[in-house]
Amino acid sequence: MDNPFERFIQNEHWKVPVMFGHTSSEFFSVPKAETLKELKKMAVDMFGDDAGAYMELCEARCTDIEERKKRASVSSSEYAIRVATQANADMVANTPMYYYVFDVEIPGWDNPGTFHSVDLWFFFETLAKCWRPFVGKHYDLARQMCNYWAYFIRSGDPNGHDSTGEELPRWEAYSLTAPYGMLFADRSEFSREEPSELMRFLVQQYFKKNWKRVHAE
C-alpha cells in the first residue's frame, strides 16, 4: 500500500528486472507562466538559489515567452524514469532496468502522433485489430517489440532472436554511466543519446530536495 513511485525510489519493491518506457510525445510538463516575470518567479519558488541555472537552461536570451516555455518543457514520464533509475543505483539495488522510447510514425487522417498507449498495439502485436493503415515497417517493428517483451517476461532479459531467426538488436541495461535505451521508430535500434542538460538539472534538483526521504531507512 502507498504511493508506488515513492515506494520504488525508496527501494521498497521486489528486486526484479524492470522495463520502463514512454512514447515520444505523451505527458509533457509545460511551465505555468504567461510572462517572463512569472517564469522567473516560478524558477525561484521551485529552485531557489539554482533558479539562474534553470533560466539559462531555458535559454535566458530568448524573450518570447512561448518559445521559452517550449524549451522548458520536459517529458514527465522520462523524468520519473530517470529519478527512479538513479534512486535504484544509489540504493545499490543492482536491479537490471531497461528503458525505451517509442517514436513511431502513426498513420491516419488525424495525424495523432505517439499518443499514450499507442505502443500497446505494437508490443501485443495486434496492429490488424486497428483501423489505422499500418504498413510493412509497422508490422516488422511490432513483431520485434513483441519478441523483446516475451523474452523479458520469460527471463528478465529482453534480448534474444527474432522469429525470423536473426538476432534482435542488442538492448543494454540502463545505468547511471550508460543512461541509454531502445528507440522504437522506423526500426528497433539502441540509442546512446544522452538526457538533456535540463533533464539532468531537474533530476539533480529532485535528489537535492528529497535526499533524506529517498535515503530513509
Side-chain angles (χ1 to χ4, degrees):
M1 302 296 290
D2 212 339
N3 183 298
F5 179 74
E6 296 292 335
R7 294 292 297 273
F8 192 94
I9 63 173
Q10 291 172 18
N11 204 28
E12 297 175 349
H13 58 89
W14 290 108
K15 305 308 183 290
V16 296
V18 179
M19 182 182 287
F20 290 112
H22 57 89
T23 73
S24 58
S25 59
E26 66 178 326
F27 302 144
F28 266 73
S29 292
V30 182
K32 295 181 179 180
E34 299 303 323
T35 65
L36 184 57
K37 182 178 180 179
E38 289 182 7
L39 183 61
K40 290 180 178 178
K41 182 180 184 304
M42 184 206 76
V44 171
D45 291 343
M46 293 183 67
F47 308 118
D49 293 341
D50 295 323
Y54 172 79
M55 294 298 289
E56 283 296 321
L57 290 170
C58 299
E59 299 290 342
R61 289 176 294 278
C62 177
T63 57
D64 183 80
I65 184 61
E66 292 304 319
E67 183 63 23
R68 289 286 290 277
K69 288 167 62 176
K70 180 179 178 181
R71 297 182 186 187
S73 301
V74 295
S75 165
S76 299
S77 299
E78 179 187 353
Y79 169 73
I81 289 168
R82 296 198 185 278
V83 167
T85 49
Q86 180 163 325
N88 181 80
D90 289 349
M91 294 291 188
V92 198
N94 293 320
T95 305
M97 296 190 176
Y98 298 90
Y99 173 53
Y100 76 89
V101 177
F102 184 86
D103 190 29
V104 175
E105 174 269 320
I106 303 299
W109 60 267
D110 52 346
N111 298 311
T114 53
F115 55 90
H116 179 63
S117 80
V118 68
D119 47 344
L120 270 65
W121 283 322
F122 287 77
F123 58 70
F124 285 130
E125 206 173 0
T126 56
L127 297 185
K129 300 290 185 179
C130 178
W131 64 267
R132 295 185 181 278
F134 292 115
V135 296
K137 67 178 182 179
H138 298 108
Y139 284 90
D140 287 340
L141 180 65
R143 185 190 68 251
Q144 289 190 331
M145 289 180 65
C146 188
N147 283 323
Y148 279 122
W149 262 249
Y151 280 120
F152 179 77
I153 291 168
R154 184 179 72 179
S155 68
D157 185 336
N159 294 291
H161 287 81
D162 196 343
S163 52
T164 62
E166 299 176 316
E167 188 171 357
L168 290 166
R170 180 73 182 172
W171 189 342
E172 299 177 14
Y174 185 105
S175 70
L176 294 188
T177 56
Y180 313 129
M182 286 298 292
L183 174 63
F184 296 116
D186 282 348
R187 62 182 186 278
S188 303
E189 61 179 331
F190 191 73
S191 173
R192 298 185 184 278
E193 182 177 351
E194 296 280 345
S196 70
E197 288 300 313
L198 178 57
M199 181 61 70
R200 290 182 183 276
F201 171 85
L202 294 174
V203 172
Q204 290 171 356
Q205 288 294 309
Y206 179 89
F207 287 97
K208 182 177 180 179
K209 293 180 179 179
N210 298 281
W211 190 91
K212 289 184 179 179
R213 181 160 54 87
V214 172
H215 293 78
E217 292 293 331

PDB file of all heavy atoms in Angstrom, residues 172-203:
ATOM      1  N   GLU A 172      20.762  -2.979 -24.142  1.00  0.00           N
ATOM      2  CA  GLU A 172      21.590  -2.978 -22.950  1.00  0.00           C
ATOM      3  C   GLU A 172      20.830  -2.399 -21.758  1.00  0.00           C
ATOM      4  O   GLU A 172      19.959  -1.542 -21.917  1.00  0.00           O
ATOM      5  CB  GLU A 172      22.865  -2.165 -23.190  1.00  0.00           C
ATOM      6  CG  GLU A 172      23.736  -2.730 -24.309  1.00  0.00           C
ATOM      7  CD  GLU A 172      24.953  -1.872 -24.582  1.00  0.00           C
ATOM      8  OE1 GLU A 172      25.270  -0.999 -23.741  1.00  0.00           O
ATOM      9  OE2 GLU A 172      25.574  -2.055 -25.638  1.00  0.00           O
ATOM     10  N   ALA A 173      21.177  -2.870 -20.583  1.00  0.00           N
ATOM     11  CA  ALA A 173      20.528  -2.381 -19.370  1.00  0.00           C
ATOM     12  C   ALA A 173      20.913  -0.925 -19.116  1.00  0.00           C
ATOM     13  O   ALA A 173      22.010  -0.477 -19.469  1.00  0.00           O
ATOM     14  CB  ALA A 173      20.916  -3.253 -18.177  1.00  0.00           C
ATOM     15  N   TYR A 174      20.019  -0.192 -18.503  1.00  0.00           N
ATOM     16  CA  TYR A 174      20.209   1.214 -18.163  1.00  0.00           C
ATOM     17  C   TYR A 174      21.088   1.325 -16.913  1.00  0.00           C
ATOM     18  O   TYR A 174      20.977   0.536 -15.977  1.00  0.00           O
ATOM     19  CB  TYR A 174      18.847   1.825 -17.886  1.00  0.00           C
ATOM     20  CG  TYR A 174      18.823   3.314 -17.638  1.00  0.00           C
ATOM     21  CD1 TYR A 174      18.353   4.187 -18.608  1.00  0.00           C
ATOM     22  CD2 TYR A 174      19.223   3.854 -16.419  1.00  0.00           C
ATOM     23  CE1 TYR A 174      18.285   5.556 -18.376  1.00  0.00           C
ATOM     24  CE2 TYR A 174      19.168   5.217 -16.178  1.00  0.00           C
ATOM     25  CZ  TYR A 174      18.703   6.058 -17.164  1.00  0.00           C
ATOM     26  OH  TYR A 174      18.643   7.412 -16.934  1.00  0.00           O
ATOM     27  N   SER A 175      21.977   2.308 -16.909  1.00  0.00           N
ATOM     28  CA  SER A 175      22.778   2.592 -15.717  1.00  0.00           C
ATOM     29  C   SER A 175      23.095   4.076 -15.700  1.00  0.00           C
ATOM     30  O   SER A 175      22.895   4.787 -16.697  1.00  0.00           O
ATOM     31  CB  SER A 175      24.074   1.774 -15.718  1.00  0.00           C
ATOM     32  OG  SER A 175      24.956   2.239 -16.723  1.00  0.00           O
ATOM     33  N   LEU A 176      23.626   4.569 -14.579  1.00  0.00           N
ATOM     34  CA  LEU A 176      23.958   5.989 -14.492  1.00  0.00           C
ATOM     35  C   LEU A 176      25.091   6.361 -15.435  1.00  0.00           C
ATOM     36  O   LEU A 176      25.153   7.485 -15.930  1.00  0.00           O
ATOM     37  CB  LEU A 176      24.334   6.352 -13.053  1.00  0.00           C
ATOM     38  CG  LEU A 176      23.218   6.246 -12.014  1.00  0.00           C
ATOM     39  CD1 LEU A 176      23.688   6.810 -10.685  1.00  0.00           C
ATOM     40  CD2 LEU A 176      21.953   6.966 -12.479  1.00  0.00           C
ATOM     41  N   THR A 177      26.000   5.437 -15.676  1.00  0.00           N
ATOM     42  CA  THR A 177      27.104   5.704 -16.599  1.00  0.00           C
ATOM     43  C   THR A 177      26.706   5.462 -18.045  1.00  0.00           C
ATOM     44  O   THR A 177      27.391   5.916 -18.954  1.00  0.00           O
ATOM     45  CB  THR A 177      28.322   4.839 -16.251  1.00  0.00           C
ATOM     46  OG1 THR A 177      27.933   3.456 -16.260  1.00  0.00           O
ATOM     47  CG2 THR A 177      28.867   5.204 -14.873  1.00  0.00           C
ATOM     48  N   ALA A 178      25.621   4.740 -18.255  1.00  0.00           N
ATOM     49  CA  ALA A 178      25.115   4.478 -19.604  1.00  0.00           C
ATOM     50  C   ALA A 178      23.591   4.640 -19.581  1.00  0.00           C
ATOM     51  O   ALA A 178      22.846   3.663 -19.645  1.00  0.00           O
ATOM     52  CB  ALA A 178      25.505   3.076 -20.050  1.00  0.00           C
ATOM     53  N   PRO A 179      23.111   5.898 -19.497  1.00  0.00           N
ATOM     54  CA  PRO A 179      21.672   6.147 -19.354  1.00  0.00           C
ATOM     55  C   PRO A 179      20.932   6.086 -20.686  1.00  0.00           C
ATOM     56  O   PRO A 179      20.304   7.048 -21.119  1.00  0.00           O
ATOM     57  CB  PRO A 179      21.642   7.568 -18.761  1.00  0.00           C
ATOM     58  CG  PRO A 179      22.841   8.225 -19.373  1.00  0.00           C
ATOM     59  CD  PRO A 179      23.890   7.148 -19.475  1.00  0.00           C
ATOM     60  N   TYR A 180      21.029   4.938 -21.336  1.00  0.00           N
ATOM     61  CA  TYR A 180      20.515   4.801 -22.695  1.00  0.00           C
ATOM     62  C   TYR A 180      19.386   3.777 -22.758  1.00  0.00           C
ATOM     63  O   TYR A 180      19.096   3.076 -21.791  1.00  0.00           O
ATOM     64  CB  TYR A 180      21.648   4.379 -23.628  1.00  0.00           C
ATOM     65  CG  TYR A 180      22.917   5.170 -23.460  1.00  0.00           C
ATOM     66  CD1 TYR A 180      24.150   4.541 -23.276  1.00  0.00           C
ATOM     67  CD2 TYR A 180      22.890   6.569 -23.467  1.00  0.00           C
ATOM     68  CE1 TYR A 180      25.315   5.270 -23.113  1.00  0.00           C
ATOM     69  CE2 TYR A 180      24.048   7.307 -23.301  1.00  0.00           C
ATOM     70  CZ  TYR A 180      25.267   6.651 -23.120  1.00  0.00           C
ATOM     71  OH  TYR A 180      26.416   7.376 -22.950  1.00  0.00           O
ATOM     72  N   GLY A 181      18.773   3.682 -23.926  1.00  0.00           N
ATOM     73  CA  GLY A 181      17.690   2.720 -24.086  1.00  0.00           C
ATOM     74  C   GLY A 181      17.371   2.461 -25.540  1.00  0.00           C
ATOM     75  O   GLY A 181      17.975   3.039 -26.447  1.00  0.00           O
ATOM     76  N   MET A 182      16.394   1.614 -25.756  1.00  0.00           N
ATOM     77  CA  MET A 182      15.964   1.295 -27.113  1.00  0.00           C
ATOM     78  C   MET A 182      15.102   2.421 -27.669  1.00  0.00           C
ATOM     79  O   MET A 182      14.289   3.017 -26.952  1.00  0.00           O
ATOM     80  CB  MET A 182      15.167  -0.004 -27.125  1.00  0.00           C
ATOM     81  CG  MET A 182      15.998  -1.259 -26.946  1.00  0.00           C
ATOM     82  SD  MET A 182      17.219  -1.528 -28.271  1.00  0.00           S
ATOM     83  CE  MET A 182      16.142  -1.882 -29.653  1.00  0.00           C
ATOM     84  N   LEU A 183      15.300   2.698 -28.937  1.00  0.00           N
ATOM     85  CA  LEU A 183      14.458   3.636 -29.665  1.00  0.00           C
ATOM     86  C   LEU A 183      13.668   2.831 -30.678  1.00  0.00           C
ATOM     87  O   LEU A 183      14.237   2.214 -31.582  1.00  0.00           O
ATOM     88  CB  LEU A 183      15.304   4.696 -30.373  1.00  0.00           C
ATOM     89  CG  LEU A 183      14.525   5.658 -31.280  1.00  0.00           C
ATOM     90  CD1 LEU A 183      13.527   6.484 -30.456  1.00  0.00           C
ATOM     91  CD2 LEU A 183      15.474   6.578 -32.041  1.00  0.00           C
ATOM     92  N   PHE A 184      12.361   2.820 -30.512  1.00  0.00           N
ATOM     93  CA  PHE A 184      11.481   2.143 -31.461  1.00  0.00           C
ATOM     94  C   PHE A 184      10.900   3.203 -32.387  1.00  0.00           C
ATOM     95  O   PHE A 184      10.034   3.977 -31.986  1.00  0.00           O
ATOM     96  CB  PHE A 184      10.376   1.384 -30.727  1.00  0.00           C
ATOM     97  CG  PHE A 184      10.891   0.265 -29.860  1.00  0.00           C
ATOM     98  CD1 PHE A 184      10.728   0.302 -28.485  1.00  0.00           C
ATOM     99  CD2 PHE A 184      11.554  -0.813 -30.426  1.00  0.00           C
ATOM    100  CE1 PHE A 184      11.201  -0.728 -27.688  1.00  0.00           C
ATOM    101  CE2 PHE A 184      12.041  -1.849 -29.635  1.00  0.00           C
ATOM    102  CZ  PHE A 184      11.857  -1.808 -28.264  1.00  0.00           C
ATOM    103  N   ALA A 185      11.386   3.251 -33.610  1.00  0.00           N
ATOM    104  CA  ALA A 185      10.920   4.226 -34.592  1.00  0.00           C
ATOM    105  C   ALA A 185      10.611   3.464 -35.882  1.00  0.00           C
ATOM    106  O   ALA A 185       9.809   2.536 -35.866  1.00  0.00           O
ATOM    107  CB  ALA A 185      11.964   5.314 -34.790  1.00  0.00           C
ATOM    108  N   ASP A 186      11.267   3.816 -36.992  1.00  0.00           N
ATOM    109  CA  ASP A 186      11.066   3.034 -38.212  1.00  0.00           C
ATOM    110  C   ASP A 186      11.621   1.630 -38.055  1.00  0.00           C
ATOM    111  O   ASP A 186      11.247   0.714 -38.777  1.00  0.00           O
ATOM    112  CB  ASP A 186      11.731   3.729 -39.405  1.00  0.00           C
ATOM    113  CG  ASP A 186      10.902   4.882 -39.926  1.00  0.00           C
ATOM    114  OD1 ASP A 186       9.725   4.995 -39.521  1.00  0.00           O
ATOM    115  OD2 ASP A 186      11.410   5.679 -40.726  1.00  0.00           O
ATOM    116  N   ARG A 187      12.527   1.479 -37.089  1.00  0.00           N
ATOM    117  CA  ARG A 187      13.095   0.166 -36.777  1.00  0.00           C
ATOM    118  C   ARG A 187      13.531   0.177 -35.320  1.00  0.00           C
ATOM    119  O   ARG A 187      13.503   1.207 -34.662  1.00  0.00           O
ATOM    120  CB  ARG A 187      14.285  -0.134 -37.693  1.00  0.00           C
ATOM    121  CG  ARG A 187      15.451   0.838 -37.543  1.00  0.00           C
ATOM    122  CD  ARG A 187      16.581   0.508 -38.514  1.00  0.00           C
ATOM    123  NE  ARG A 187      17.745   1.339 -38.299  1.00  0.00           N
ATOM    124  CZ  ARG A 187      17.895   2.570 -38.762  1.00  0.00           C
ATOM    125  NH1 ARG A 187      16.932   3.113 -39.493  1.00  0.00           N
ATOM    126  NH2 ARG A 187      18.994   3.267 -38.522  1.00  0.00           N
ATOM    127  N   SER A 188      13.936  -0.970 -34.839  1.00  0.00           N
ATOM    128  CA  SER A 188      14.443  -1.071 -33.466  1.00  0.00           C
ATOM    129  C   SER A 188      15.937  -0.789 -33.475  1.00  0.00           C
ATOM    130  O   SER A 188      16.685  -1.407 -34.243  1.00  0.00           O
ATOM    131  CB  SER A 188      14.201  -2.489 -32.917  1.00  0.00           C
ATOM    132  OG  SER A 188      12.844  -2.831 -32.969  1.00  0.00           O
ATOM    133  N   GLU A 189      16.373   0.143 -32.647  1.00  0.00           N
ATOM    134  CA  GLU A 189      17.796   0.409 -32.537  1.00  0.00           C
ATOM    135  C   GLU A 189      18.118   0.935 -31.142  1.00  0.00           C
ATOM    136  O   GLU A 189      17.311   1.633 -30.536  1.00  0.00           O
ATOM    137  CB  GLU A 189      18.263   1.407 -33.594  1.00  0.00           C
ATOM    138  CG  GLU A 189      17.611   2.764 -33.528  1.00  0.00           C
ATOM    139  CD  GLU A 189      18.139   3.712 -34.585  1.00  0.00           C
ATOM    140  OE1 GLU A 189      19.311   3.563 -34.988  1.00  0.00           O
ATOM    141  OE2 GLU A 189      17.372   4.588 -35.025  1.00  0.00           O
ATOM    142  N   PHE A 190      19.294   0.558 -30.649  1.00  0.00           N
ATOM    143  CA  PHE A 190      19.695   1.029 -29.330  1.00  0.00           C
ATOM    144  C   PHE A 190      20.264   2.430 -29.469  1.00  0.00           C
ATOM    145  O   PHE A 190      21.169   2.682 -30.267  1.00  0.00           O
ATOM    146  CB  PHE A 190      20.746   0.091 -28.721  1.00  0.00           C
ATOM    147  CG  PHE A 190      21.010   0.363 -27.269  1.00  0.00           C
ATOM    148  CD1 PHE A 190      20.083   0.012 -26.306  1.00  0.00           C
ATOM    149  CD2 PHE A 190      22.175   1.000 -26.862  1.00  0.00           C
ATOM    150  CE1 PHE A 190      20.302   0.275 -24.957  1.00  0.00           C
ATOM    151  CE2 PHE A 190      22.406   1.264 -25.520  1.00  0.00           C
ATOM    152  CZ  PHE A 190      21.470   0.904 -24.563  1.00  0.00           C
ATOM    153  N   SER A 191      19.721   3.361 -28.720  1.00  0.00           N
ATOM    154  CA  SER A 191      20.115   4.762 -28.807  1.00  0.00           C
ATOM    155  C   SER A 191      21.018   5.149 -27.642  1.00  0.00           C
ATOM    156  O   SER A 191      20.694   4.873 -26.487  1.00  0.00           O
ATOM    157  CB  SER A 191      18.870   5.656 -28.805  1.00  0.00           C
ATOM    158  OG  SER A 191      19.229   7.027 -28.722  1.00  0.00           O
ATOM    159  N   ARG A 192      22.124   5.785 -27.969  1.00  0.00           N
ATOM    160  CA  ARG A 192      23.038   6.275 -26.937  1.00  0.00           C
ATOM    161  C   ARG A 192      22.935   7.793 -26.773  1.00  0.00           C
ATOM    162  O   ARG A 192      23.904   8.459 -26.418  1.00  0.00           O
ATOM    163  CB  ARG A 192      24.473   5.851 -27.266  1.00  0.00           C
ATOM    164  CG  ARG A 192      24.637   4.336 -27.291  1.00  0.00           C
ATOM    165  CD  ARG A 192      26.080   3.892 -27.508  1.00  0.00           C
ATOM    166  NE  ARG A 192      26.171   2.449 -27.619  1.00  0.00           N
ATOM    167  CZ  ARG A 192      26.204   1.608 -26.590  1.00  0.00           C
ATOM    168  NH1 ARG A 192      26.181   2.104 -25.360  1.00  0.00           N
ATOM    169  NH2 ARG A 192      26.270   0.315 -26.761  1.00  0.00           N
ATOM    170  N   GLU A 193      21.759   8.318 -27.035  1.00  0.00           N
ATOM    171  CA  GLU A 193      21.532   9.749 -26.847  1.00  0.00           C
ATOM    172  C   GLU A 193      21.476  10.072 -25.363  1.00  0.00           C
ATOM    173  O   GLU A 193      20.760   9.423 -24.596  1.00  0.00           O
ATOM    174  CB  GLU A 193      20.239  10.180 -27.522  1.00  0.00           C
ATOM    175  CG  GLU A 193      19.965  11.671 -27.404  1.00  0.00           C
ATOM    176  CD  GLU A 193      18.714  12.090 -28.146  1.00  0.00           C
ATOM    177  OE1 GLU A 193      18.155  11.258 -28.879  1.00  0.00           O
ATOM    178  OE2 GLU A 193      18.303  13.252 -27.979  1.00  0.00           O
ATOM    179  N   GLU A 194      22.225  11.079 -24.950  1.00  0.00           N
ATOM    180  CA  GLU A 194      22.270  11.477 -23.551  1.00  0.00           C
ATOM    181  C   GLU A 194      21.000  12.242 -23.169  1.00  0.00           C
ATOM    182  O   GLU A 194      20.389  12.910 -24.006  1.00  0.00           O
ATOM    183  CB  GLU A 194      23.485  12.384 -23.304  1.00  0.00           C
ATOM    184  CG  GLU A 194      24.833  11.721 -23.527  1.00  0.00           C
ATOM    185  CD  GLU A 194      25.255  10.869 -22.342  1.00  0.00           C
ATOM    186  OE1 GLU A 194      24.642  11.029 -21.264  1.00  0.00           O
ATOM    187  OE2 GLU A 194      26.184  10.065 -22.497  1.00  0.00           O
ATOM    188  N   PRO A 195      20.593  12.169 -21.919  1.00  0.00           N
ATOM    189  CA  PRO A 195      19.478  13.027 -21.472  1.00  0.00           C
ATOM    190  C   PRO A 195      19.893  14.490 -21.601  1.00  0.00           C
ATOM    191  O   PRO A 195      21.081  14.826 -21.504  1.00  0.00           O
ATOM    192  CB  PRO A 195      19.280  12.619 -20.014  1.00  0.00           C
ATOM    193  CG  PRO A 195      20.557  11.964 -19.603  1.00  0.00           C
ATOM    194  CD  PRO A 195      21.111  11.319 -20.836  1.00  0.00           C
ATOM    195  N   SER A 196      18.934  15.360 -21.820  1.00  0.00           N
ATOM    196  CA  SER A 196      19.243  16.777 -21.990  1.00  0.00           C
ATOM    197  C   SER A 196      19.814  17.369 -20.710  1.00  0.00           C
ATOM    198  O   SER A 196      19.622  16.826 -19.614  1.00  0.00           O
ATOM    199  CB  SER A 196      17.979  17.538 -22.392  1.00  0.00           C
ATOM    200  OG  SER A 196      17.070  17.588 -21.301  1.00  0.00           O
ATOM    201  N   GLU A 197      20.496  18.498 -20.849  1.00  0.00           N
ATOM    202  CA  GLU A 197      21.044  19.180 -19.680  1.00  0.00           C
ATOM    203  C   GLU A 197      19.920  19.618 -18.737  1.00  0.00           C
ATOM    204  O   GLU A 197      20.077  19.581 -17.513  1.00  0.00           O
ATOM    205  CB  GLU A 197      21.863  20.395 -20.122  1.00  0.00           C
ATOM    206  CG  GLU A 197      23.184  20.044 -20.782  1.00  0.00           C
ATOM    207  CD  GLU A 197      24.091  19.239 -19.847  1.00  0.00           C
ATOM    208  OE1 GLU A 197      24.236  19.640 -18.672  1.00  0.00           O
ATOM    209  OE2 GLU A 197      24.631  18.207 -20.285  1.00  0.00           O
ATOM    210  N   LEU A 198      18.791  20.021 -19.314  1.00  0.00           N
ATOM    211  CA  LEU A 198      17.649  20.406 -18.479  1.00  0.00           C
ATOM    212  C   LEU A 198      17.134  19.209 -17.686  1.00  0.00           C
ATOM    213  O   LEU A 198      16.837  19.328 -16.491  1.00  0.00           O
ATOM    214  CB  LEU A 198      16.533  20.987 -19.349  1.00  0.00           C
ATOM    215  CG  LEU A 198      15.240  21.384 -18.613  1.00  0.00           C
ATOM    216  CD1 LEU A 198      15.533  22.401 -17.514  1.00  0.00           C
ATOM    217  CD2 LEU A 198      14.206  21.918 -19.594  1.00  0.00           C
ATOM    218  N   MET A 199      17.060  18.056 -18.329  1.00  0.00           N
ATOM    219  CA  MET A 199      16.603  16.858 -17.626  1.00  0.00           C
ATOM    220  C   MET A 199      17.573  16.494 -16.504  1.00  0.00           C
ATOM    221  O   MET A 199      17.158  16.155 -15.393  1.00  0.00           O
ATOM    222  CB  MET A 199      16.462  15.698 -18.611  1.00  0.00           C
ATOM    223  CG  MET A 199      15.963  14.404 -17.971  1.00  0.00           C
ATOM    224  SD  MET A 199      14.319  14.555 -17.217  1.00  0.00           S
ATOM    225  CE  MET A 199      13.288  14.722 -18.689  1.00  0.00           C
ATOM    226  N   ARG A 200      18.853  16.564 -16.765  1.00  0.00           N
ATOM    227  CA  ARG A 200      19.852  16.275 -15.732  1.00  0.00           C
ATOM    228  C   ARG A 200      19.688  17.228 -14.541  1.00  0.00           C
ATOM    229  O   ARG A 200      19.756  16.821 -13.377  1.00  0.00           O
ATOM    230  CB  ARG A 200      21.263  16.392 -16.307  1.00  0.00           C
ATOM    231  CG  ARG A 200      21.646  15.292 -17.291  1.00  0.00           C
ATOM    232  CD  ARG A 200      23.082  15.487 -17.756  1.00  0.00           C
ATOM    233  NE  ARG A 200      23.492  14.513 -18.743  1.00  0.00           N
ATOM    234  CZ  ARG A 200      23.949  13.292 -18.464  1.00  0.00           C
ATOM    235  NH1 ARG A 200      24.047  12.901 -17.208  1.00  0.00           N
ATOM    236  NH2 ARG A 200      24.302  12.462 -19.431  1.00  0.00           N
ATOM    237  N   PHE A 201      19.465  18.494 -14.858  1.00  0.00           N
ATOM    238  CA  PHE A 201      19.279  19.501 -13.806  1.00  0.00           C
ATOM    239  C   PHE A 201      18.059  19.165 -12.945  1.00  0.00           C
ATOM    240  O   PHE A 201      18.129  19.199 -11.709  1.00  0.00           O
ATOM    241  CB  PHE A 201      19.105  20.884 -14.450  1.00  0.00           C
ATOM    242  CG  PHE A 201      18.703  21.970 -13.493  1.00  0.00           C
ATOM    243  CD1 PHE A 201      19.660  22.657 -12.757  1.00  0.00           C
ATOM    244  CD2 PHE A 201      17.363  22.302 -13.319  1.00  0.00           C
ATOM    245  CE1 PHE A 201      19.285  23.666 -11.864  1.00  0.00           C
ATOM    246  CE2 PHE A 201      16.982  23.296 -12.438  1.00  0.00           C
ATOM    247  CZ  PHE A 201      17.948  23.980 -11.703  1.00  0.00           C
ATOM    248  N   LEU A 202      16.953  18.823 -13.578  1.00  0.00           N
ATOM    249  CA  LEU A 202      15.724  18.534 -12.843  1.00  0.00           C
ATOM    250  C   LEU A 202      15.866  17.302 -11.959  1.00  0.00           C
ATOM    251  O   LEU A 202      15.376  17.276 -10.826  1.00  0.00           O
ATOM    252  CB  LEU A 202      14.564  18.353 -13.823  1.00  0.00           C
ATOM    253  CG  LEU A 202      14.164  19.607 -14.615  1.00  0.00           C
ATOM    254  CD1 LEU A 202      13.099  19.262 -15.657  1.00  0.00           C
ATOM    255  CD2 LEU A 202      13.657  20.703 -13.685  1.00  0.00           C
ATOM    256  N   VAL A 203      16.547  16.288 -12.459  1.00  0.00           N
ATOM    257  CA  VAL A 203      16.768  15.083 -11.655  1.00  0.00           C
ATOM    258  C   VAL A 203      17.653  15.405 -10.455  1.00  0.00           C
ATOM    259  O   VAL A 203      17.387  14.969  -9.326  1.00  0.00           O
ATOM    260  CB  VAL A 203      17.387  13.958 -12.507  1.00  0.00           C
ATOM    261  CG1 VAL A 203      17.805  12.777 -11.630  1.00  0.00           C
ATOM    262  CG2 VAL A 203      16.394  13.498 -13.581  1.00  0.00           C
TER     263      VAL A 203
END
